Amino acid sequence: LCAIIHYLVRGQLGWFGLTVACVVPGYAAQLLSIFWFRADGRPPGCWLLVLHLLQLGLWKRYWDVLRMAAKTGGSAHAGEVLTQHGDVCVLRLLEALLQTLPHLLLQAYVVAAVDPASFIPGVSAGLSLLSLAWALVSYSRFSCLLKPGHLCPPASAILCLLLWRMGMLGTRVLALVLFARLYSFWVFAVAGVHWLLMSFWLVAQQTDIVAQPCRWRLFNCLVGAVYIFCYVNVRPGPSKHRVAVFYSVST
């Protein structure tokens, strides 16, 4: 919001429009959240719809999880708390990939190629990087909690995961931004080749999360686009070999 106001006040309508456009994909996560409320037997009222329209629907879900955890004391309805926590982690990751990541790329390009002394776009890019990294860490933590016999990772492990994600995302975003600054639209060719390689690799793994063929292909294409920036484990079981292949191709 501060970045939008910053560009509007300075009369940079091009960057203002692009920054506003980065907000729009985030409504996909808000719409999915409404559908999930309805599927859970909680038809959304006017107030809940207004919250989602203001892109505050996920904050409402976080509040519900905290309130339920406080009421139950982490024992009586632990399974229900974990389910709701998983829903908000998945929705938050989707929102981060659709909204925060494009915003991060845009603001990083402004700082690197247009106005290096601009303070607000730099702060906005840094906070977007932190937000995206935290969404990935939250998803990883929830995936760990789903495994039988696994306990909640300690704070030190979560901090290390956060720093690792920020370093990985930061270097990839910086590399793409600097490449775009030097070679302009050729960056799309490089990203496109990487996206195709990752998508074919996912198809070769026979990822069976989605049953329908059309949705299965779409899912692999979307995850392949995500793999331009970071690795997200979408299959059960040990992932060290898949991570090794991912880094080998990406580097």
Side-chain angles (χ1 to χ4, degrees):
L1 183 60
C2 290
I4 291 174
I5 296 174
H6 169 77
Y7 292 129
L8 183 61
V9 170
R10 298 185 62 176
Q12 297 174 323
L13 298 183
W15 298 116
F16 165 78
L18 290 173
T19 305
V20 172
C22 290
V23 178
V24 177
Y27 280 104
Q30 305 294 325
L31 185 61
L32 186 59
S33 175
I34 292 176
F35 288 154
W36 285 2
F37 269 122
R38 189 183 302 274
D40 292 338
R42 301 168 58 187
C46 293
W47 176 241
L48 193 59
L49 292 175
V50 170
L51 287 178
H52 283 80
L53 185 63
L54 296 175
Q55 293 204 355
L56 297 175
L58 302 191
W59 291 95
K60 172 66 167 59
R61 284 183 172 273
Y62 276 119
W63 171 253
D64 290 344
V65 171
L66 291 174
R67 185 177 58 181
M68 180 177 294
K71 285 183 177 180
T72 61
S75 57
H77 300 280
E80 187 175 353
V81 173
L82 183 61
T83 300
Q84 291 196 15
H85 179 63
D87 289 346
V88 74
C89 284
V90 172
L91 290 170
R92 180 67 190 91
L93 179 60
L94 178 63
E95 183 186 54
L97 294 174
L98 293 177
Q99 182 180 30
T100 308
L101 180 57
H103 182 79
L104 169 60
L105 290 170
L106 178 65
Q107 303 309 318
Y109 182 81
V110 170
V111 174
V114 179
D115 189 4
S118 187
F119 176 74
I120 291 182
V123 173
S124 182
L127 292 176
S128 297
L129 177 62
L130 177 62
S131 176
L132 179 58
W134 180 250
L136 290 165
V137 170
S138 298
Y139 175 79
S140 299
R141 177 179 176 273
F142 168 69
S143 300
C144 183
L145 291 176
L146 285 180
K147 298 176 182 178
H150 282 68
L151 300 177
C152 181
S156 57
I158 293 177
L159 179 60
C160 290
L161 277 174
L162 181 63
L163 294 176
W164 169 60
R165 287 292 190 181
M166 289 184 65
M168 181 180 62
L169 289 167
T171 52
R172 289 178 177 272
V173 168
L174 183 60
L176 287 173
V177 166
L178 293 178
F179 190 93
R181 180 183 180 184
L182 293 175
Y183 300 104
S184 187
F185 292 102
W186 281 103
V187 68
F188 294 108
V190 175
V193 171
H194 191 285
W195 167 64
L196 288 175
L197 288 174
M198 292 293 101
S199 297
F200 286 135
W201 180 51
L202 286 167
V203 171
Q205 295 181 63
Q206 297 295 322
T207 308
D208 56 355
I209 295 179
V210 183
Q212 294 84 353
C214 292
R215 295 181 180 180
W216 177 74
R217 296 188 186 96
L218 179 60
F219 175 80
N220 287 326
C221 290
L222 293 176
V223 177
V226 172
Y227 277 10
I228 298 174
F229 303 95
C230 59
Y231 178 82
V232 179
N233 189 21
V234 294
R235 294 185 61 193
S239 59
K240 59 181 179 181
H241 296 296
R242 296 194 294 271
V243 172
V245 173
F246 168 77
Y247 278 110
S248 299
V249 174
S250 299
T251 54

